[in-house]
Amino acid sequence: MKTGNEIQITPELVKEHGLTEEEYQRIVGAMGREPNYTELGIYSVMWSEHCSYKSSRFHLKKLPTKAPWVIQGPGENAGVIDIGDGQAAIFKMESHNHPSYIEPYQGAATGVGGILRDVFTMGARPVANMNALRFGEPDHPKTRHLLAGVVEGIGGYGNCVGVPTVGGETNFDPSYNGNILVNAMTVGLADADKIFYCAAAGVGNPVVYVGSKTGRDGIHGATMASAEFTEDSEEKRPTVQVGDPFTEKLLIEACLELMATDAIIAIQDMGAAGLTSSSVEMASKGGVGFELDLDMVPQREANMLPYEMMLSESQERMLMVLKPGREDMAKAIFEKWELDFAIIGHITDTGNLTLKFGGEVVGDMPINSLVEDAPEYERPYVPTPKREKADVAAVNDLNKAVLDLVGGPNLCSRRWIWEQYDHMVMGDTIQRPGGDAAVVRVHGTEKALAISTDVTPRYCFADPVEGGRQAVAETWRNITAVGATPLAITNCLNFGNPERKDIMGQFVGCLEGMGEACRALDYPIVSGNVSLYNETNGSGIMPTPAIGGVGVMKDSAKMATVAFKGAGQTVVLIGETKDELGASLYQKQILGEDAGAPPHVDLDLERRNGDFVRALIENGQVSTCHDLSDGGLIAALSDMAISGKVGVSVSVGDDLPLHVALFSETQARYLVATDAATAEEIRKEAKDAGIPVVVLGETGGDRVVVNGGGVDIALADLATAHEGWMPNFMAKEPLSA
C-alpha cells in the first residue's frame, strides 16, 4: 500500500514546504533522524508562520491579557470574559486574507465558518458575527469582483448558519490591490461555569472525530497563508477550503447538545492545518501523546494518503476526547444530526503523535518538538521615522469637499453590504449596522453586548505607535458611544513581510501602541490572530492591526444611537478640536496627499472624556451620541443628520480655520444631542470635571449649515451622495474577475 512516504526528502522539497535549511536541521535534531514525507508536511504546517507565530511570539508576550473579568486569555480557541450574572462572552477574530483573494466567495465563507467553530468549541452559542474588510482602490479591475464575492460569501455562510452579521467595516486603499484583507469575528454566550477547553487528559481515553468527511481541499492552506503572493498565486485555488454552512449549523447544535452532558474532556475545532493542529494542540496542552489510526478517518475521496488526511483543511470538523463509556451516547447525538462520528485513536503516555495507516506506523513525532521547539525569531527591525506636523491646505469649495467625502468610498453608506447579511436573525439585534457599535441583547435579559471593529491604517503607516493606540481607543470610543462599558478586545494583526526591517518596525510599533492603550483603558487582549506576508511581488499592505472590541450594557433601554431624534435638539461637542489634519481622510481623499503626523492619542483624555459620555448615557441624559473619527466633525454631523432625516445648523467659531475645524481628526471627541435644559446641565457638569464642551447649535430644517453658510448643503443632496456611491459602484459593467 502506498503511504506517500516513498517520496524522497530533498532540499527542494523542504523549501517547497516553507522551511529553511536551518529549520530542517532543527527538525532532524529533534527527531534524531530524517523525517519522512508525512512528518515533513506536519512539521511544515506546525512551524509555519500561521500556526507557530514564529516572527511575532516574542512581541505578543508584551501585551496585557489579564483583568478580574478575564476568564480565559490568549492560548485557547477564543477569549472568555465574565459579563456578570453567571454568564460569559466568548469571542475571537481571525484572518482569511489569502484564500479570499484567490477565491473570494469560499475564502470569505470558510473564514466565517472557522471563526464560528473557534467560539462554539468553547461551549458558547454564537450570537453575532462581525467583519473587517479591506479592498484595493475602486478603479482597480479586480476590486468589484472581490468585494462582490467576499460579501456574498460572508452573507451566504452566516445567513445559512443563522447567526446575525451585525456590523463591521469596509475600506478601500491602493495598498490592498494585490492582497485584500478579510477578517472575521464571532461573539458567543455561555454559562461562565461551563466553558470547554482543548487540553486532552486520561491515557487510553478515546479520540473522536465528528462533523464532515475529510477531502483534499485546503491542503497547505496554512503554508499558503504564511507566504507572500506572486503572479502564480491564483493557481492556488485547490488550497482554498470549501464550506457547507448547513453542516456547520448541524455541528453547532450537535456539539452544544453533547456539551450539556458530562461526556467531553477536551474539544478542539479543525482549523488551519486541520487534523494536525487540532491533535497536536490538544495533546500539547494536556501533556500527553496521541495515537491515531488514519484508516478510521471519515474520507470523501478515494486513496487519500496520510499526508493529505493530516494536512487537509476540509471544513466543519471537530476533534474531541471523551470520557470512556460515553462513546455510544455521543455517537447517537451526532448520527441524529446526520454527522460523521468516528473513534480514530486514543491518548497515550508517550508524548508523541503516532500515526498508523494500513497497519503500519507512518509518522511518529515528539509533540513538544512540534510546539515548544517551533522557531521563535526576534527579527531585526527599524522603527518608522517620525513625521513632522503638516500644514494642510484649504480648498475653495468646502461644500464639494464635504459631499465628496461623505459620498466617497471610505465614508459612504455600507447599506449595499449589510443588507445582504441577515442581521436580525435570532431576534436580539437592537442596534443595526451603521452605528458606532453593534448592540445585541443577551437573550431574555435587559443586558446587551456592544461590539465594534476598527483600525485606521493611515495612522499606523504614518506612526505605528500612535496608530496602534488609536485602533484600540477607537473601538473603546465606539462601545462607549452606545452607552456600554468596554471590557476586552481581540485582534487580527495584518502586516507585510516580517523579514523586511521596515515592516517588522511597523509591527513592533503598532503592538507598543496597542499595549499602552489597553493598559490605560483597562481593556485587555484576550484572543487574536497574526497574519503576515500580506504582500504581492514585494509590495506590502499598509499596517492593519484590526481590533475587535466587546463591552457590556446593563440596561439596553438606555442605549444611544447616532441619529438626531428630531428638530429642536441642542448639539454639544465634547472634547477639544486641534489642528490635526496630518494623515487625515480629507488630506488623502480631497487633496491626494499623505504627509504629516497623525492625530495624537492622549489616553488619559480618552478615559476622562469617554467615562463622562458613558455616564451621560447611563443616567438617561443623552440618547443621541456619535464619536468623531474619519472625516472629523462634519462627517459625524452629516451621519447624524442623514440617519435622523433632520437638518442641523452649528457654529464652530473662528479659533481655527474652517477646513481644520470641519475635517480635523483630533481624538477623544464625541457629539451628543439632547434638549436645551439637559445640554446646559451637561455644560456645567463638564466644566466642573475639567472637560472641554462646546454648544454648537441646534437640529432642524432640511440643510446642514456651518458658520452661517461656510458650509451649506441640502440634507437630501448629502443623503443621495452618501447612499448612492456603493450601489452605483457595484452596478458598473462589466464585473470582471
Side-chain angles (χ1 to χ4, degrees):
M1 174 189 287
K2 283 199 170 185
T3 66
N5 290 345
E6 307 82 13
I7 295 171
Q8 187 180 356
I9 308 301
T10 63
E12 292 74 27
L13 190 64
V14 170
K15 190 176 179 183
E16 282 174 23
H17 280 74
L19 293 163
T20 66
E21 185 178 340
E22 183 186 358
E23 288 170 346
Y24 180 71
Q25 291 307 320
R26 191 167 175 162
I27 292 167
V28 172
M31 295 188 69
R33 60 176 172 82
E34 300 267 338
N36 61 36
Y37 181 61
T38 302
E39 292 165 337
L40 178 71
I42 287 170
Y43 269 100
S44 80
V45 291
M46 288 308 299
W47 285 18
S48 70
E49 195 72 63
H50 192 73
C51 291
S52 76
Y53 294 164
K54 57 190 173 187
S55 296
S56 58
R57 284 206 315 273
F58 175 80
H59 298 285
L60 293 173
K61 293 171 188 172
K62 304 172 189 175
L63 295 171
T65 60
K66 292 180 168 58
W69 52 90
V70 173
I71 296 172
Q72 176 64 53
E76 273 288 341
N77 288 287
V80 187
I81 58 172
D82 189 333
I83 61 168
D85 306 309
Q87 295 172 309
I90 300 179
F91 59 98
K92 190 181 181 185
M93 181 189 269
E94 278 220 337
S95 61
H96 235 219
N97 304 334
H98 287 51
S100 299
Y101 184 80
I102 293 168
E103 175 52 68
Y105 181 93
Q106 289 295 351
T110 52
V112 173
I115 198 64
L116 282 165
R117 286 194 300 281
D118 277 338
V119 167
F120 77 73
T121 191
M122 298 203 62
R125 178 171 290 282
V127 296
N129 287 332
M130 298 279 286
N131 52 68
L133 313 177
R134 296 284 183 308
F135 297 96
E137 58 195 327
D139 291 341
H140 190 274
K142 288 184 73 76
T143 296
R144 286 188 309 124
H145 160 71
L146 292 167
L147 174 59
V150 164
V151 170
E152 190 179 355
I154 291 170
Y157 205 98
N159 296 354
C160 292
V161 169
V163 177
T165 301
V166 294
E169 56 170 349
T170 304
N171 292 107
F172 301 86
D173 186 86
S175 77
Y176 308 105
N177 280 346
N179 199 126
I180 64 173
L181 301 184
V182 175
N183 297 170
M185 176 178 174
T186 293
V187 182
L189 288 168
D191 290 341
D193 61 352
K194 292 182 181 173
I195 309 298
F196 288 79
Y197 299 96
C198 73
V203 172
N205 283 346
V207 177
V208 175
Y209 171 121
V210 300
S212 288
K213 289 179 166 60
T214 295
R216 291 187 170 95
D217 55 319
I219 294 172
H220 281 307
T223 310
M224 177 188 72
S226 305
E228 62 182 85
F229 277 152
T230 57
E231 288 92 343
D232 66 350
S233 290
E234 290 185 57
E235 296 171 16
K236 295 181 179 177
R237 277 192 170 84
T239 63
V240 177
Q241 310 92 326
V242 177
D244 179 355
F246 297 105
T247 299
E248 181 103 339
K249 173 63 174 170
L250 300 177
L251 189 59
I252 292 172
E253 299 305 330
C255 286
L256 291 177
E257 184 174 336
L258 185 59
M259 286 167 170
T261 73
D262 66 347
I264 298 175
I265 292 172
I267 181 168
Q268 174 80 17
D269 79 293
M270 294 192 215
L275 188 52
T276 288
S277 64
S278 55
S279 56
V280 169
E281 286 172 23
M282 292 176 82
S284 171
K285 287 276 171 60
V288 297
F290 268 28
E291 183 178 301
L292 303 181
D293 182 351
L294 299 182
D295 292 310
M296 304 306 294
V297 172
Q299 299 159 54
R300 68 165 180 260
E301 297 185 48
N303 303 315
M304 288 191 73
L305 299 176
Y307 179 101
E308 295 171 322
M309 282 185 265
M310 291 304 295
L311 268 61
S312 167
E313 293 184 9
S314 293
Q315 297 291 286
E316 294 88 41
R317 302 178 302 157
M318 310 285 281
L319 199 64
M320 306 180 178
V321 174
L322 297 182
K323 290 182 180 177
R326 303 292 200 280
E327 299 93 333
D328 288 346
M329 180 265 290
K331 182 177 182 181
I333 289 173
F334 281 89
E335 287 184 347
K336 179 184 80 173
W337 290 101
E338 299 180 347
L339 296 165
D340 276 285
F341 176 99
I343 299 169
I344 65 167
H346 62 273
I347 293 178
T348 69
D349 60 4
T350 63
N352 280 14
L353 176 63
T354 305
L355 307 175
K356 291 187 172 179
F357 180 66
E360 297 178 38
V361 173
V362 292
D364 198 15
M365 296 145 283
I367 298 278
N368 276 347
S369 167
L370 289 165
V371 179
E372 302 300 328
D373 290 349
E376 179 179 310
Y377 296 126
E378 208 177 322
R379 296 199 184 276
Y381 67 90
V382 176
T384 302
K386 290 284 185 183
R387 290 183 180 183
E388 297 296 319
K389 185 177 183 297
D391 289 323
V392 180
V395 290
N396 292 328
D397 190 341
L398 284 173
N399 285 349
K400 182 178 185 301
V402 173
L403 284 165
D404 287 348
L405 267 185
V406 172
N410 287 306
L411 288 185
C412 72
S413 169
R414 270 58 179 145
R415 185 183 301 275
W416 181 89
I417 294 175
W418 58 257
E419 283 189 341
Q420 296 184 55
Y421 304 152
D422 188 341
H423 50 278
M424 298 303 290
V425 67
M426 300 180 85
D428 284 316
T429 305
I430 54 176
Q431 180 146 180
R432 302 184 185 196
D436 281 319
V439 183
V440 178
R441 185 189 297 108
V442 176
H443 192 72
T445 73
E446 295 176 346
K447 207 163 49 177
L449 297 176
I451 315 161
S452 170
T453 57
D454 227 303
V455 62
T456 309
R458 297 188 312 278
Y459 300 167
C460 296
F461 182 73
D463 184 333
V465 177
E466 209 71 82
R469 285 189 199 115
Q470 194 274 342
V472 172
E474 172 74 0
T475 65
W476 192 88
R477 270 202 311 274
N478 288 338
I479 290 167
T480 292
V482 298
T485 301
L487 290 179
I489 66 172
T490 182
N491 61 58
C492 203
L493 307 175
N494 308 275
F495 291 81
N497 184 344
E499 296 166 49
R500 288 171 46 192
K501 292 180 182 178
D502 59 328
I503 300 296
M504 200 64 207
Q506 293 173 349
F507 183 84
V508 173
C510 283
L511 261 66
E512 181 185 333
M514 287 166 52
E516 289 175 8
C518 290
R519 280 183 280 268
L521 300 171
D522 285 333
Y523 197 35
I525 296 167
V526 297
S527 60
N529 172 242
V530 179
S531 175
L532 302 177
Y533 295 96
N534 288 290
E535 305 209 349
T536 300
N537 297 326
S539 178
I541 62 164
M542 282 204 290
T544 312
I547 304 295
V550 174
V552 172
M553 189 183 304
K554 291 178 183 173
D555 183 358
S556 57
K558 293 179 177 175
M559 175 186 72
T561 60
V562 303
F564 288 141
K565 304 300 187 290
Q569 284 194 313
T570 300
V571 180
V572 179
L573 173 64
I574 294 167
E576 181 185 1
T577 303
K578 299 177 182 176
D579 184 349
E580 292 185 301
L581 280 175
S584 67
L585 199 57
Y586 165 81
Q587 184 196 52
K588 186 157 191 174
Q589 188 175 322
I590 303 302
L591 302 182
E593 299 170 2
D594 179 18
H600 173 58
V601 181
D602 182 327
L603 293 165
D604 290 337
L605 202 63
E606 288 283 0
R607 185 71 182 253
R608 193 160 70 246
N609 292 2
D611 288 349
F612 180 75
V613 168
R614 191 182 314 106
L616 296 178
I617 298 169
E618 288 176 346
N619 294 339
Q621 293 167 279
V622 164
S623 64
T624 301
C625 182
H626 198 359
D627 89 301
L628 273 62
S629 53
D630 276 355
L633 174 67
I634 191 63
L637 278 170
S638 299
D639 270 352
M640 298 169 89
I642 292 167
S643 298
K645 299 179 181 173
V646 60
V648 63
S649 179
V650 300
S651 173
V652 296
D654 56 8
D655 291 347
L656 293 168
L658 186 53
H659 75 289
V660 174
L662 291 174
F663 300 115
S664 169
E665 294 180 4
T666 299
Q667 302 293 293
R669 295 184 298 159
Y670 301 79
L671 279 174
V672 300
T674 187
D675 62 84
T678 305
E680 179 58 22
E681 283 175 19
I682 292 169
R683 192 187 64 76
K684 288 177 180 173
E685 289 171 18
K687 185 178 180 183
D688 291 343
I691 291 172
V693 162
V694 182
V695 175
L696 293 181
E698 192 174 87
T699 60
D702 58 4
R703 306 185 73 79
V704 172
V705 181
V706 182
N707 282 12
V711 167
D712 189 345
I713 307 172
L715 183 57
D717 292 343
L718 265 178
T720 298
H722 184 64
E723 294 286 348
W725 186 88
M726 193 163 281
N728 293 338
F729 171 65
M730 293 307 296
K732 290 178 183 175
E733 294 292 341
L735 188 60
S736 63

